[in-house]
Amino acid sequence: MSLVNIEDFHVKLIMVGGKGGVGKTTCASAIALKLAMDKRKVLVISSDPTPSLSDIFEKEVGDRETRVHDEYELYALEVSSEIVLKRWKERFGPEIYEVISSFASIDYDFVDYIGSAPGIEEEYMLNFIMELVEGGSYDVVVWDTAPAGHTLRLLKLPELFLAHMEAATKFYMNMYGYLEKIKDAVKLKESKRTLLEIIAGWESLSEKIVAFIRNPEAVKYLIVTIPEALGVKLTGRVLSELEENQLKVENIIVNNVVKDEDCEFHRKRKAMQDHYIDFLKNTYENKNIMLLYCAPYEIKGVERIMEISRALFP
Ligand SMILES: Nc1ncnc2c1ncn2[C@@H]1O[C@H](COP(=O)(O)OP(=O)(O)OP(=O)(O)O)[C@@H](O)[C@H]1O
Ligand SMILES: [Mg+2]
């Protein structure tokens, strides 16, 4: 097992990704706890639509930042789609309304309608997290992401987000241009800012997000996988997609590893796992591959999370 120092995780954001059910929430919680024990103020966030931090910490978390450890400064938050959409509306609602109402008579409800467009919520999640990080209330934010595909889509956010906004605004622009031409005929309401100024604002937000997620000093990406064909395959895919987007992954946790070959079943299982572990080590020579043994029980409650922390950072 490669030894990793917890100091290596003294960044602003740690993003834990991987396929469904491989132990993302478990590892994110264990890393968060270890960082909190290391005198950092830590927030662990789950953006999974099925809340899971409440289960592992055995405490109702929900969409409020909730302290989950009596001694250490460890907080948890389950980000719901409602809260992300609410923030999105607060951020973009007035601008969108300003733009559209400058040439059309609309109710503010129209903003809700735009906010319900597919993708907006995921697209805005990254900004939500960036704001939490930059808000400075925490030393580190550990993000337990939704299963792989979902998160990758999220990380394409900046481009997607702009494309989405631009597609919508092109339509308004055309209409706006047309109305400008005939403005003597129709009475056009004055917009405080021009549409182009507003779009420029969206663009710079998007650039800010890109710079943030690509800054290796601030953000660390970690992938959790299992030593089985499907886990290995998906890891390859996730890694190349992240790296294509210039997001560097340094650490891979291989979870559910059989510790003792104490029976025929475990011998066979270990042989199978060893094959995939060797493959991962050979394929990702320059990455830190951490093996995490399968405990004989499920990981629930601070004591058990602590055991995982110790296994990861001995
Ligand atoms: N090393 C381990 N030893 C024993 N049990 C483990 C270990 N890692 C994870 N588990 C158990 O496996 C189950 C799935 O783990 P976890 O919820 O962390 O996965 P996940 O990747 O977050 O899943 P999802 O994609 O559904 O969010 C849980 O019941 C957890 O307790
Ligand atoms: Mg989970």
Side-chain angles (χ1 to χ4, degrees):
M1 185 196 296
S2 318
L3 296 187
V4 182
N5 290 323
I6 192 67
E7 286 81 23
D8 288 344
F9 289 83
H10 284 194
V11 285
K12 286 182 168 174
L13 174 67
I14 298 164
M15 207 192 97
V16 181
K19 168 173 115 59
V22 292
K24 293 179 298 297
T25 303
T26 305
C27 292
S29 304
I31 294 168
L33 177 59
K34 180 70 184 176
L35 285 162
M37 290 165 68
D38 212 32
K39 302 279 180 291
R40 319 225 95 209
K41 187 173 174 190
V42 186
L43 176 69
V44 52
I45 312 178
S46 168
S47 60
D48 198 322
T50 2
S52 40
L53 293 172
S54 298
D55 287 334
I56 190 163
F57 283 103
E58 297 179 317
K59 186 164 189 167
E60 191 48 41
V61 174
D63 56 16
R64 282 247 170 90
E65 290 159 48
T66 307
R67 189 163 181 165
V68 287
H69 200 284
D70 298 333
E71 190 180 340
Y72 306 115
E73 291 234 81
L74 178 58
Y75 296 78
L77 172 68
E78 288 168 341
V79 190
S80 66
S81 40
E82 288 80 32
I83 195 167
V84 173
L85 267 178
K86 185 169 164 278
R87 293 280 182 93
W88 180 87
K89 274 181 217 158
E90 282 164 9
R91 167 69 178 79
F92 290 105
E95 291 185 348
I96 289 173
Y97 183 74
E98 189 186 332
V99 169
I100 303 172
S101 63
S102 70
F103 57 79
S105 173
I106 53 160
D107 289 335
Y108 200 81
D109 289 355
F110 192 74
V111 172
D112 290 333
Y113 175 72
I114 294 189
S116 66
I120 292 245
E121 168 210 327
E122 293 132 305
E123 288 169 18
Y124 204 52
M125 181 71 80
L126 215 49
N127 185 67
F128 178 89
I129 289 177
M130 182 176 77
E131 282 179 353
L132 262 176
V133 170
E134 300 205 323
S137 305
Y138 300 94
D139 297 316
V140 193
V141 173
V142 182
W143 179 15
D144 166 26
T145 69
H150 208 69
T151 307
L152 283 175
R153 227 173 48 208
L154 243 170
L155 289 172
K156 289 192 178 140
L157 156 102
E159 288 106 89
L160 266 179
F161 188 61
L162 263 188
H164 186 103
M165 288 309 200
E166 273 172 358
T169 36
K170 257 189 206 123
F171 169 75
Y172 305 134
M173 289 280 257
N174 287 338
M175 205 153 146
Y176 192 71
Y178 170 72
L179 287 170
E180 279 275 271
K181 275 188 215 131
I182 56 161
K183 75 169 166 223
D184 294 334
V186 289
K187 203 168 169 336
L188 196 61
K189 282 186 238 160
E190 280 288 310
S191 171
K192 278 190 233 89
R193 285 175 295 166
T194 69
L195 195 51
L196 287 174
E197 279 169 336
I198 290 173
I199 294 171
W202 295 349
E203 262 162 3
S204 66
L205 174 69
S206 179
E207 278 157 16
K208 192 175 161 205
I209 295 174
V210 175
F212 170 76
I213 62 172
R214 285 191 183 149
N215 176 5
E217 302 289 307
V219 187
K220 242 188 208 315
Y221 294 86
L222 181 146
I223 292 190
V224 184
T225 188
I226 47 170
E228 287 176 24
L230 215 63
V232 168
K233 200 168 153 189
L234 207 98
T235 302
R237 213 185 311 150
V238 174
L239 275 172
S240 46
E241 284 214 39
L242 286 172
E243 287 177 355
E244 269 164 31
N245 288 286
Q246 296 163 48
L247 306 170
K248 203 165 160 279
V249 181
E250 287 167 18
N251 299 284
I252 300 175
I253 296 178
V254 185
N255 191 14
N256 276 352
V257 174
V258 171
K259 196 172 184 182
D260 302 312
E261 296 171 83
D262 50 5
C263 63
E264 186 58 19
F265 174 81
H266 280 146
R267 243 189 309 283
K268 282 192 176 148
R269 215 165 160 77
K270 186 162 186 308
M272 177 273 291
Q273 293 191 338
D274 280 349
H275 168 74
Y276 293 108
I277 293 169
D278 288 344
F279 176 85
L280 286 168
K281 283 183 174 164
N282 294 332
T283 315
Y284 308 112
E285 274 178 321
N286 55 349
K287 298 195 196 303
N288 211 342
I289 313 258
M290 301 152 87
L291 303 186
L292 180 58
Y293 294 106
C294 184
Y297 34 71
E298 63 180 332
I299 312 301
K300 242 169 158 316
V302 171
E303 278 312 307
R304 293 268 156 90
I305 302 172
M306 184 93 82
E307 284 177 34
I308 299 293
S309 303
R310 280 196 213 103
L312 287 174
F313 304 98

